Amino acid sequence: MRDTRESRLLLVLLIAIAFALITVDIRGGEESPVDGARQAAATVFGPVENGVSAAVDPVGNAIGAVRDSGDRHDRIAALEHENATLKTKLGSDDRNASKVRQLDTMLKSAGAGQYGIKAAEVIAIGAAQGFSWTITIDAGAADGLTRDMTVLNGEGLVGRVTTVGPNTATVLLANDPDFTVGTRLEKTDELGFATGQGSRPLSVQFLNGKAEVKKGDRLVTFGSSKDKPFVPGVPVGQVVRVDPSGGDLTRTVYVEPFVGFTKLDIVGIVVQAPREDPRDMVLPKQPRKPAKPKPTPTVTVTVQPNGDLVDGSGKVVGNINEKPDASASAGASGSPDPAAGDAANEQE
């Protein structure tokens, strides 16, 4: 449509008519003259509006759902991240607490034996070195480690260093079949050699075939020349079985190691040996045995034919025919009870 003077006039006229109708409709209220026309329009265009709304609403809802799902996904992701962080923190706290306990126990043992140690953490187990019982630790030549150094923890002997790298080292564990260490029996000082048997107890052969050994006896390392590969006094284990000697020159016993080789974490490498043999100082104190109950004294009484009760020394302590003394119940003075006398008089 061309923009002419007539078209502009027509537009102004239509706008004026529209305002006039609106004014009449508002003033008329429920009895508005255009109410019929509005109802007719609603009847015609209502179904169309509902159809359009039904078609458009799911699209709008879907768009809103996608928008909200993005927000929900972000919130869920944030919560999952926070949860994982808390779990990691809790796990880290527990692990750190365990390491602190292990380190504290190891330092106390090292202090008791006067060992100079370098603490290290286990970073790998035997699979990296073949089928032998070995571990890899995060300390090496840069930390002053050399071959044939004793390795221990707070429980006892762990093994010895076999290979040293710049920052790591390999330790052969005491339960490896190729591992042998000289041992000394607590208190009696009987000497022997302990050999690893994997997951089974250590096999210890005592040099003295008649050595008196019993279950529960404990062993420590005897020590090596120049303290390599073993320093003296490190706890090895406790006897769990003793084989009969059978007249052999040596005697075999089986010892459960103090160290749990499947759960190693913090270990100490002895970089300085003690000046003197600590002997049994590093072994934990034996728990006190419960005191035996004192026997209750018993007295044997024999009944004689006349009814006398005679104890073991021949002393008469009573008679089964004796009756309770009535006067004793009356009073300590032995005088009759006045009330009892009155009762007797009344009966007479």
Side-chain angles (χ1 to χ4, degrees), residues 1-19:
M1 185 176 180
R2 296 177 60 183
D3 185 13
T4 60
R5 183 175 180 183
E6 290 80 6
S7 63
R8 290 180 184 177
L9 182 59
L10 179 60
L11 177 60
V12 171
L13 180 61
L14 290 175
I15 292 174
I17 294 172
F19 274 108

Side-chain angles (χ1 to χ4, degrees), residues 62-77:
I63 294 173
V66 171
R67 181 177 60 254
D68 293 342
S69 66
D71 295 339
R72 285 195 297 269
H73 178 74
D74 293 341
R75 288 196 297 271
I76 292 172

Side-chain angles (χ1 to χ4, degrees), residues 206-226:
F206 282 96
L207 301 181
N208 180 6
K210 298 181 179 180
E212 294 184 3
V213 188
K214 63 182 182 297
K215 185 178 179 180
D217 286 346
R218 303 183 296 179
L219 293 87
V220 298
T221 56
F222 176 69
S224 306
S225 175
K226 298 183 180 179

Side-chain angles (χ1 to χ4, degrees), residues 62-132:
I63 294 173
V66 171
R67 181 177 60 254
D68 293 342
S69 66
D71 295 339
R72 285 195 297 269
H73 178 74
D74 293 341
R75 288 196 297 271
I76 292 172
L79 290 173
E80 288 177 346
H81 178 72
E82 183 178 354
N83 192 25
T85 302
L86 289 174
K87 287 183 178 179
T88 303
K89 185 177 184 299
L90 290 174
S92 177
D93 290 344
D94 292 341
R95 181 172 171 79
N96 289 336
S98 175
K99 287 185 177 182
V100 169
R101 287 193 298 269
Q102 294 180 53
L103 183 60
D104 182 63
T105 305
M106 184 175 67
L107 291 176
K108 288 179 179 177
S109 298
Q114 298 298 305
Y115 306 124
I117 64 171
K118 168 66 179 178
E121 186 176 359
V122 176
I123 57 176
I125 56 176
Q129 291 85 22
F131 296 100
S132 57

Side-chain angles (χ1 to χ4, degrees), residues 269-290:
I269 302 88
V270 181
V271 295
Q272 184 177 358
R275 294 182 180 180
E276 297 180 359
D277 186 347
R279 301 188 65 78
D280 302 330
M281 294 295 295
V282 186
L283 283 170
K285 293 182 179 181
Q286 289 276 35
R288 291 183 178 181
K289 295 182 179 179

